């Protein structure tokens, strides 16, 4: 008799954090096996596949990791582009390396958005400290000084209102390539999770409203309250345009600022995204399953929301969620990570038939909105 595990399609994932973990959990249903490459010894995706524990630049490890894989994808965008290009020459890899290149550098990303006609906050690139005054002249204050690379969860950016704040920000972000962006006094923040198949079919989840604190996502409400067809279709057009331009395959997230009814793109993530976690219980097909379907050439699943959902991140320490665990339509996801300030340790999704029902659950569990 054939060994069923030997005939399983094995997918390689660069990174074995919680996104890799949830991809692999979704892959069970599709009877996929997984192999992770991650230099960390303690990984959220433990037990969900083989773990090649090595640096992303280690060619021998890349060789070992890629052997016999049906497809490769990644769960975070700071994986070295050279390694991704090396792998893409050997195994089908999605989203393709050029998408990663655009998303790795916030300046490339903003320039790319503007180039395809998607509104962005005004920004100005500069290379030397003494060019900063010119940049302020163009942008005005307040502004946000951002590092071009390795910025996430509010890291690598400082709001600047005064000369003193500019001096401190330059000291703190010292040595990193930077750019300056207009501070947007936005009405709210929304994101769209989109997916494109190998055949070029695009599907979209409803826009989600996101609430950040200290630059970290705390709460997502899906669908976004007061969502209009016009806003949804505008966001879909932007996401479609990005995906078609990049010949993109897989899940893509774009985060927007909304001001006066207009969408301004803030950033994109060429991967499954925190603001799409609600789809596990709240949509007909989760973002994780749809990403796997796309990168392996399968048909996409429905992106329709089953009702209303709210997703709350558990950050820093894993408080007592026992009441939530015992409440129906409340789903607690524990990533099994060691507590640390600012670290995402898990998330909770609340589902209901109406927005009001979900709000009431948030209130009952004492979760601020
Ligand atoms: P980012 O790391 O660029 O995603 O930024 C994290 C968060 O910082 C965003 O979700 C916003 O809440 C805030 N932020 C970033 N850029 C700006 C901006 N230009 N104006 C106002 N708030 C911003």
């Amino acid at each position: 008799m054939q060994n069923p595990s030997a005939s399983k399609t094995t997918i390689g994932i660069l990174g074995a954090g919680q996104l890799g973990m949830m991809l692999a959990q979704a892959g069970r249903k599709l009877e996929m096996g997984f192999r992770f490459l991650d230099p960390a010894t303690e990984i959220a995706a433990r037990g969900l596949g083989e773990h090649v524990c090595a640096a992303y630049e280690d060619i021998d490890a890349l060789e070992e990791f890629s052997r016999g894989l049906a497809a490769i994808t990644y769960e975070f965008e700071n994986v070295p582009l050279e390694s991704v290009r090396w792998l893409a020459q050997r195994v089908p890899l999605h989203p393709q390396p050029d998408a990663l290149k655009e998303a790795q550098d916030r300046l490339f990303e903003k320039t790319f958005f503007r180039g395809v006609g998607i509104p962005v906050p005004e920004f100005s690139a500069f290379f030397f400290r003494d060019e900063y005054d010119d940049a302020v002249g163009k942008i005005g204050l307040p502004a946000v000084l951002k590092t071009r690379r390795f910025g996430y969860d509010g890291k690598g950016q400082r709001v600047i209102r005064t000369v003193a704040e500019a001096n401190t920000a330059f000291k703190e972000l010292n040595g990193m390539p930077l750019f300056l962006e207009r501070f947007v006094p936005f009405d709210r923040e929304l994101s769209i999770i989109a997916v494109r198949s190998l055949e070029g079919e695009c599907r979209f989840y409803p826009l989600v409203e996101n609430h950040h604190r200290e630059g970290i996502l705390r709460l997502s409400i899906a669908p976004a309250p007061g969502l209009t067809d016009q806003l949804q279709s505008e966001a879909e057009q932007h996401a479609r345009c990005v995906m078609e331009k990049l010949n993109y395959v897989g899940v893509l997230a774009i985060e927007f600022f909304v001001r006066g009814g207009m969408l301004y793109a803030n950033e994109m993530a060429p991967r499954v995204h925190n603001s799409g976690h609600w789809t596990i219980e709240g949509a007909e097909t989760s973002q994780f399953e749809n990403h796997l379907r796309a990168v392996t050439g399968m048909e996409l699943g429905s992106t329709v929301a089953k009702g209303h959902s709210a997703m709350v991140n558990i950050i820093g320490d894993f408080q007592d969620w026992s009441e939530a665990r015992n409440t129906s339509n409340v789903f607690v996801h524990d990533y099994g990570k060691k507590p640390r300030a600012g670290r995402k340790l898990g998330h909770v999704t609340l589902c209901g038939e109406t927005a009001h029902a979900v709000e009431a659950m948030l209130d009952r569990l004492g979760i601020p909105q």
Side-chain angles (χ1 to χ4, degrees):
M1 211 178 81
Q2 210 183 0
N3 172 1
S5 64
S7 62
K8 253 189 184 178
T9 300
T10 306
I11 312 298
I13 303 182
L14 295 162
Q18 66 265 22
L19 300 180
M21 177 192 93
M22 288 184 270
L23 280 166
Q25 286 167 344
R28 277 197 200 127
K29 183 178 145 193
L30 303 173
E31 301 199 345
M32 292 172 174
F34 291 88
R35 185 181 301 148
F36 302 94
L37 176 64
D38 195 314
T41 48
E42 284 187 29
I43 54 167
R46 71 187 154 279
L48 293 167
E50 298 163 54
H51 176 201
V52 178
C53 184
Y56 294 115
E57 298 84 354
D58 180 336
I59 287 285
D60 291 339
L62 292 177
E63 178 79 56
E64 180 193 343
F65 167 71
S66 62
R67 216 170 289 143
L69 294 177
I72 296 179
T73 190
Y74 42 88
E75 61 135 37
F76 77 121
E77 53 267 47
N78 288 324
V79 45
L81 194 57
E82 283 312 302
S83 303
V84 171
R85 290 208 161 116
W86 189 92
L87 290 166
Q89 283 169 0
R90 287 154 180 85
V91 177
L93 183 150
H94 301 289
Q96 57 114 335
D98 281 350
L100 185 66
K101 178 172 168 263
E102 299 295 348
Q104 278 186 338
D105 183 312
R106 294 204 257 210
L107 183 59
F108 288 176
E109 184 176 66
K110 289 264 151 61
T111 310
F112 173 80
F113 282 140
R114 199 166 58 183
V116 295
I118 300 174
V120 287
E122 231 179 291
F123 63 92
S124 181
F126 59 93
F127 299 94
F128 302 103
R129 172 73 172 91
D130 57 12
E131 293 171 319
Y132 166 77
D133 288 342
D134 278 353
V136 172
K138 281 191 215 138
I139 301 294
L141 292 176
V144 188
L145 188 65
K146 294 187 174 185
T147 59
R148 288 177 54 173
R149 294 212 50 190
F150 306 114
Y152 66 96
D153 286 349
K155 293 191 174 71
Q157 59 168 284
R158 299 286 183 279
V159 177
I160 294 179
R161 296 174 203 82
T162 62
V163 173
E165 278 179 348
N167 288 335
T168 314
F170 272 102
K171 253 186 232 137
E172 286 170 357
L173 303 174
N174 185 24
M176 311 253 246
L178 303 169
F179 73 106
L180 195 70
E181 182 175 290
R182 173 166 290 171
F183 179 86
V184 182
F186 51 77
D187 303 323
R188 58 178 176 161
E189 291 187 86
L190 302 180
S191 61
I192 189 153
I193 308 288
V195 58
R196 186 167 179 270
S197 74
L198 213 51
E199 275 78 43
E201 188 200 353
C202 297
R203 293 196 181 187
F204 308 92
Y205 291 91
L207 275 164
V208 168
E209 180 175 301
N210 298 316
H211 297 247
H212 294 82
R213 210 171 55 246
E214 291 150 4
I216 307 179
L217 179 67
R218 307 283 160 160
L219 169 71
S220 293
I221 304 172
L227 180 58
T228 60
D229 289 347
Q230 200 222 322
L231 208 56
Q232 178 71 23
S233 100
E234 204 179 308
E236 288 185 10
Q237 272 174 39
H238 292 334
R240 184 187 295 278
C241 169
V242 170
M243 294 196 295
E244 287 181 351
K245 191 83 188 164
L246 293 170
N247 197 17
Y248 192 94
V249 174
V251 163
L252 171 83
I254 307 183
E255 293 183 78
F256 297 101
F257 300 136
V258 186
R259 177 149 170 79
M262 277 274 293
L263 291 173
Y264 297 86
N266 177 35
E267 64 175 356
M268 63 178 171
R271 55 169 169 79
V272 287
H273 191 254
N274 196 173
S275 68
H277 291 1
W278 65 275
T279 60
I280 297 176
E281 292 89 8
E284 287 183 359
T285 314
S286 77
Q287 61 163 348
F288 301 99
E289 180 177 336
N290 259 336
H291 186 71
L292 293 173
R293 288 179 164 275
V295 303
T296 55
M298 293 170 73
E299 252 181 59
L300 301 179
S302 162
T303 47
V304 169
K306 289 180 191 165
H308 291 258
S309 306
M311 190 279 323
V312 183
N313 271 332
I314 300 170
I315 294 165
D317 72 308
F318 211 97
Q319 317 97 305
D320 181 14
W321 285 94
S322 49
E323 190 189 341
R325 283 181 200 279
N326 294 322
T327 308
S328 60
N329 296 323
V330 177
F331 306 91
V332 179
H333 296 252
D334 181 349
Y335 309 152
K337 287 158 63 171
K338 289 211 176 98
R340 196 201 301 147
R343 195 174 203 202
K344 289 177 184 166
L345 303 177
H347 74 267
V348 182
T349 300
L350 300 84
C351 299
E353 277 178 25
T354 61
H356 183 71
V358 173
E359 266 170 45
M361 285 160 97
L362 285 168
D363 277 349
R364 208 171 54 242
L365 294 168
I367 299 167
Q369 293 168 57

